[in-house]
Amino acid sequence: MSKLTSNPPNHEQNGSSRLFGLDLLRAVAILLVLLAHTLPGGTTFPIIKPIAATFGYFGVELFFVLSGFLIGGILIRMMQRGELRTVSGVVEFWKRRWYRTLPNYVLFLVFNVIWAVWIERASLTSFWHYLIFTQNLAWPCPVFFQESWSLAVEEWFYLIFPIIVVAVTGWNRRPHFFGVALMIMLLVPLGLRCLGWVEDSWDESIRKVVIYRLDSMMLGVAAAYLAVTNEGWWKKIERIWPFGILMLLGVAAYLLRFQPLSTSEWIHRAPLTFLTSLGVALLIPALVKLKTAHVTTVRVVRNISLWSYSLYLCHTPVIRGLRYFCTE
């Protein structure tokens, strides 16, 4: 196997290095989540509920694949530079991730705790799980701060995947060793999801549980890996982006027609989320190249993308507050 053939994708938070297509994907993801939780008319028009559920489903899955692509690029660059051969390199990666994600998370966790105790008169007995992201580690996420389920999946991905990469590539930085780490992280959760126990609904018992969803970022990581190791295949996938759109439309039609998130059938556990992630991954090569000369569009999309994490954390407390103060 030859050495890495190109620089892995780089999409840092600020400056001209930002890619419009990836910002657009993140902006679409957060707008879908916001629409899922604010669409009116659910009690009057029954179709609204499955539409909202579909929007929410796609919003989170888009975030997962995009996160995998970006984090995969970061880890590949670190591996190239030899920074993943030591514990200090892994700790440095964790520190950078936690610096970006934990402050806002802790802020809104505290806000939710205060709301639950003062307004809803809830008990504090189980809130400590949220500090170490075990609220949905191998069991359904509690109702309290339920939107944090996807954040727990991502944080455990940040924690576990670099360790696997170091274990597999620490002594050899050839790209196919990174591919071995990728396959481990892809196949193990996929297998667990096929075998997982469903108590109530697949949505709560499987889709929103950490140990079953750690592969959800891996097709994004696979896209980053392909961009580095096989430029020819990367360009071929760039040309077949319509298949990604068709795949996502097929999943959306299935969700709307059969509403599988509320069922416990085995067939929904692995194929549905895998096909969704694959469809998004097929779009990434084209999105990396996507540009627009419209300055206002670029600015709006970039700002929504930059605010997306904070919007994800704050929108539910805002909705809850409006309902409480406006309906009393």
Side-chain angles (χ1 to χ4, degrees):
M1 177 68 72
S2 61
K3 293 183 178 181
L4 299 175
T5 57
S6 63
N7 290 324
N10 189 5
H11 180 56
E12 299 299 335
Q13 286 295 97
N14 298 298
S16 59
S17 64
R18 296 196 69 85
L19 300 175
F20 172 75
L22 300 187
D23 277 341
L24 179 62
L25 186 63
R26 185 185 279 112
V28 169
I30 188 58
L31 291 176
L32 286 173
V33 171
L34 295 179
L35 282 171
H37 295 156
T38 57
L39 277 178
T43 56
T44 305
F45 304 100
I47 189 60
I48 295 296
K49 289 185 177 180
I51 289 176
T54 301
F55 282 175
Y57 170 85
F58 275 107
V60 174
E61 299 304 316
L62 292 178
F63 273 126
F64 281 158
V65 178
L66 179 58
S67 293
F69 180 68
L70 300 177
I71 297 304
I74 291 172
L75 290 173
I76 291 172
R77 287 194 300 276
M78 292 181 68
M79 188 183 71
Q80 286 177 309
R81 298 191 295 262
E83 296 173 2
L84 287 182
R85 287 189 171 188
T86 63
V87 173
S88 60
V90 176
V91 171
E92 185 61 30
F93 168 81
W94 288 337
K95 285 167 60 177
R96 290 201 297 264
R97 288 298 94 204
W98 291 335
Y99 178 77
R100 292 181 184 276
T101 59
L102 291 188
N104 276 356
Y105 174 80
V106 172
L107 173 65
F108 283 98
L109 175 59
V110 171
F111 176 86
N112 277 276
V113 168
I114 292 173
W115 180 274
V117 173
W118 286 5
I119 304 299
E120 299 177 353
R121 305 299 181 184
S123 170
L124 282 171
T125 54
S126 63
F127 290 171
W128 66 269
H129 289 288
Y130 293 82
L131 292 174
I132 55 175
F133 295 98
T134 57
Q135 63 267 38
N136 59 317
L137 180 60
W139 40 80
C141 188
V143 174
F144 170 78
F145 200 14
Q146 195 170 40
E147 63 271 24
S148 68
W149 74 265
S150 62
L151 306 179
V153 173
E154 294 209 15
E155 291 299 332
W156 280 98
F157 166 75
Y158 299 152
L159 182 68
I160 294 174
F161 187 54
I163 296 174
I164 296 176
V165 171
V166 170
V168 175
T169 69
W171 59 279
N172 193 317
R173 284 183 286 167
R174 291 183 179 180
H176 66 277
F177 283 94
F178 185 91
V180 171
L182 189 159
M183 292 304 296
I184 292 172
M185 196 71 166
L186 178 66
L187 295 178
V188 171
L190 188 64
L192 288 175
R193 193 156 69 247
C194 291
L195 300 173
W197 174 259
V198 177
E199 294 181 0
D200 185 11
S201 72
W202 168 80
D203 184 48
E204 297 295 331
S205 300
I206 298 290
R207 190 175 78 90
K208 296 179 180 178
V209 175
V210 169
I211 62 170
Y212 300 132
R213 297 307 315 280
L214 288 174
D215 66 311
S216 54
M217 277 74 73
M218 295 316 297
L219 283 174
V221 176
Y225 173 74
L226 193 64
V228 172
T229 60
N230 199 315
E231 187 177 356
W233 273 103
W234 177 259
K235 290 182 176 179
K236 289 178 181 178
I237 295 175
E238 181 185 331
R239 293 192 292 269
I240 64 170
W241 62 266
F243 287 99
I245 295 290
L246 290 174
M247 193 173 295
L248 295 177
L249 289 175
V251 172
Y254 185 84
L255 287 169
L256 290 171
R257 173 64 181 82
F258 297 103
Q259 301 180 35
L261 298 181
S262 60
T263 70
S264 59
E265 296 179 17
W266 179 88
I267 192 64
H268 301 139
R269 301 181 194 178
L272 204 61
T273 52
F274 183 83
L275 289 175
T276 305
S277 298
L278 180 60
V280 178
L282 290 176
L283 299 179
I284 286 181
L287 288 172
V288 168
K289 299 286 290 292
L290 183 65
K291 296 180 180 179
T292 179
H294 199 287
V295 176
T296 301
T297 301
V298 171
R299 184 179 297 115
V300 170
V301 168
R302 178 185 299 158
N303 286 337
I304 295 175
S305 176
L306 288 169
W307 299 337
S308 61
Y309 182 54
S310 295
L311 287 170
Y312 186 84
L313 286 167
C314 78
H315 78 279
T316 300
V318 169
I319 294 170
R320 189 184 302 119
L322 289 173
R323 286 174 178 170
Y324 179 82
F325 291 109
C326 296
T327 58
E328 288 293 314

